[in-house]
């Protein structure tokens, strides 16, 4: 028995969240650089409420899969997992998260629907059998370490709490400049941008972090070749490793090429942060023969349109 008890109890589950209000789209809020810290804070506080401890459950990653926000959870103690399941079953977690989102996002109400899964098991169908739920969660070992973005947001939350007593608006500003991965596009001229140059067609250009303007131009003009560019970027970007690119193609098939390309570059920017530079994108475009688009991004097409 002693030997068994020395092995840590670790399990994993996915919490699916969706707003029942058509005007509130959780993935869009989470993908917004201004709102992301607020949504994260609400998630963190509600999960802490559910287990009675800030460290009762760990968020490993937050996935945006319209219309759901999917939170990958890791439990390191059976009693914490049990408390979480009780809170979930009784609706306390749902109520807590609705309240925290309402406060964090300064909205009148944020109605939610929740679903809990572990592997292929829908735990909502077996909530009365707590031991079976625990068994399903324990069987699912986490398949990843905590995402870098979550670590960044944790740090941001700490600084928010520290600064809140000074000035609420300042706290949000501190958070918005927090970084790179979770909050795309550090401001131009930001000290985060690496001051290095690169060569394109014999000319020297200052390397810089990608901007919203680069992002939109790329999405608009890359057309069907967005996947090839993604595969070139994938070589140095773990967030674009297989099957991410194929999943984006399926997920945004209805929205068309612009949205597929936009989401691809968004993943790159969110994952690489200040390292998501124009030099890396230009190299990927060159590799795929997209010289005209590269010239457009570097401002070499005076006022002409890029074909």
């Amino acid at each position: 028995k002693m030997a068994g008890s020395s092995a840590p109890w670790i399990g994993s589950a996915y919490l699916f969240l969706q707003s029942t209000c058509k005007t509130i789209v959780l993935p869009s809020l989470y993908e917004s650089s201004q709102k992301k810290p607020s949504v994260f804070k609400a998630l963190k506080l509600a999960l802490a409420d559910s287990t009675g401890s800030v460290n009762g459950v760990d968020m490993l990653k937050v996935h945006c899969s319209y219309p759901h926000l999917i939170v990958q959870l890791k439990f390191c103690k059976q009693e914490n997992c049990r408390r979480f399941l009780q809170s979930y079953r009784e609706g306390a977690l749902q109520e807590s998260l609705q309240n925290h989102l309402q406060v964090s996002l300064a909205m009148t109400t944020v109605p939610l629907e929740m679903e809990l899964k572990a592997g292929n098991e829908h735990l909502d169908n077996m909530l009365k059998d707590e031991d079976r739920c625990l068994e399903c969660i324990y069987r699912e070992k986490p398949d990843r370490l905590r995402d870098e973005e979550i670590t960044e947001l944790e740090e941001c939350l700490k600084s928010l709490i520290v600064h809140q007593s000074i000035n609420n608006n300042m706290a949000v500003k501190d958070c918005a400049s927090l970084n790179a991965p979770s909050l795309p596009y550090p401001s131009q001229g930001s000290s985060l941008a690496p001051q290095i140059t690169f060569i394109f067609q014999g000319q020297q250009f200052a390397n810089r972090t990608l901007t919203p303007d680069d992002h939109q131009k790329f999405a608009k003009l890359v057309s069907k070749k967005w996947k090839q560019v993604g595969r070139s970027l994938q070589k140095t970007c773990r967030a674009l490793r297989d099957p991410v690119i194929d999943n984006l193609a399926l997920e945004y098939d209805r929205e068309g090429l612009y949205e597929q390309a936009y989401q691809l570059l968004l993943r790159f920017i969110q994952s690489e942060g200040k390292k998501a530079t124009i030099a890396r994108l230009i190299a990927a475009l060159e590799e795929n023969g997209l010289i005209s688009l590269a010239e457009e991004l570097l401002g070499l097409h005076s006022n002409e349109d890029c074909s």
Side-chain angles (χ1 to χ4, degrees):
K1 230 177 183 182
M2 288 298 286
S5 63
S6 65
W9 192 98
I10 292 176
S12 178
Y14 286 90
L15 182 63
F16 287 71
L17 305 168
Q18 179 183 353
S19 170
T20 52
C21 172
K22 282 182 183 172
T23 55
I24 301 171
V25 184
L26 291 178
S28 298
L29 289 171
Y30 192 77
E31 284 177 343
S32 148
S33 57
Q34 285 81 27
K35 300 280 195 300
K36 178 174 287 200
S38 303
V39 177
F40 178 79
K41 180 184 176 186
L43 285 169
K44 184 82 181 160
L45 293 173
L47 288 169
D49 289 347
S50 75
T51 58
S53 158
V54 178
N55 303 314
V57 54
D58 197 11
M59 278 189 271
L60 296 183
K61 185 166 177 65
V62 178
H63 305 263
C64 293
S65 179
Y66 290 81
H68 293 101
L69 201 62
I70 308 170
V71 189
Q72 187 174 3
L73 303 172
K74 176 187 175 185
F75 298 91
C76 288
K77 286 184 180 172
Q78 187 176 340
E79 57 266 33
N80 287 336
C81 190
R82 200 179 282 279
R83 279 195 206 106
F84 168 84
L85 283 168
Q86 285 164 357
S87 173
Y88 181 84
R89 187 178 64 234
E90 290 159 9
L93 174 63
Q94 184 173 354
E95 196 178 328
S96 170
L97 184 52
Q98 286 176 169
N99 292 341
H100 286 304
L101 282 169
Q102 201 173 319
V103 172
S104 289
L105 296 166
M107 290 180 169
T108 48
T109 176
V110 185
L112 292 177
E113 271 181 0
M114 289 185 166
E115 202 179 338
L116 191 62
K117 293 182 185 176
N120 297 322
E121 300 286 354
H122 290 250
L123 302 185
D124 298 72
N125 303 332
M126 56 175 93
L127 286 173
K128 286 179 181 170
D129 190 345
E130 201 172 275
D131 287 335
R132 191 174 159 212
C133 288
L134 283 167
E135 201 179 297
C136 293
I137 291 171
Y138 178 65
R139 220 170 31 228
E140 288 301 313
K141 298 302 178 207
D143 59 354
R144 61 157 64 242
L145 295 172
R146 184 199 284 190
D147 199 70
E148 285 167 19
E149 176 182 85
I150 299 287
T151 308
E152 299 267 354
L153 286 163
E154 292 268 8
E155 290 305 310
C156 170
L157 191 53
K158 281 177 198 164
S159 72
L160 256 180
I161 291 162
V162 170
H163 289 101
Q164 226 147 29
S165 54
I166 307 165
N167 178 318
N168 220 13
N169 294 335
M170 280 300 292
V172 176
K173 282 175 192 162
D174 283 351
C175 212
S177 64
L178 141 97
N179 92 307
S182 49
L183 314 174
Y185 324 121
S187 61
Q188 285 208 269
S190 151
S191 58
L192 291 174
Q195 300 304 313
I196 313 163
T197 58
F198 67 101
I199 304 291
F200 174 73
Q201 295 187 333
Q203 279 183 261
Q204 199 169 32
F205 292 89
N207 195 8
R208 55 177 173 76
T209 313
L210 292 170
T211 66
D213 190 46
D214 298 327
H215 195 166
Q216 288 187 330
K217 278 183 183 169
F218 170 80
K220 188 176 161 191
L221 303 168
V222 70
S223 192
K224 289 178 182 172
K225 284 200 169 180
W226 71 269
K227 269 188 169 187
Q228 280 117 294
V229 176
R231 304 222 184 277
S232 296
L233 290 171
Q234 164 188 87
K235 294 170 192 170
T236 57
C237 173
R238 68 185 179 90
L240 294 179
R241 285 188 194 149
D242 292 331
V244 172
I245 294 169
D246 290 332
N247 287 350
L248 286 175
L250 286 171
E251 200 174 333
Y252 296 97
D253 182 43
R254 283 188 184 174
E255 284 87 345
L257 294 171
Y258 174 90
E259 192 59 31
Q260 289 169 329
Y262 187 89
Q263 292 295 330
L264 172 87
L265 206 58
L266 181 65
R267 296 292 192 284
F268 177 66
I269 290 164
Q270 287 182 328
S271 135
E272 299 295 300
K274 60 183 181 237
K275 293 184 284 188
T277 59
I278 189 75
R280 287 173 74 183
L281 182 56
I282 296 297
L285 294 173
E286 271 193 286
E287 197 174 304
N288 293 286
L290 294 163
I291 304 304
S292 186
L293 174 48
E295 290 172 349
E296 177 73 19
L297 290 176
L298 293 172
L300 298 176
H301 279 191
S302 52
N303 292 316
E304 304 163 34
D305 264 332
C306 171
S307 57

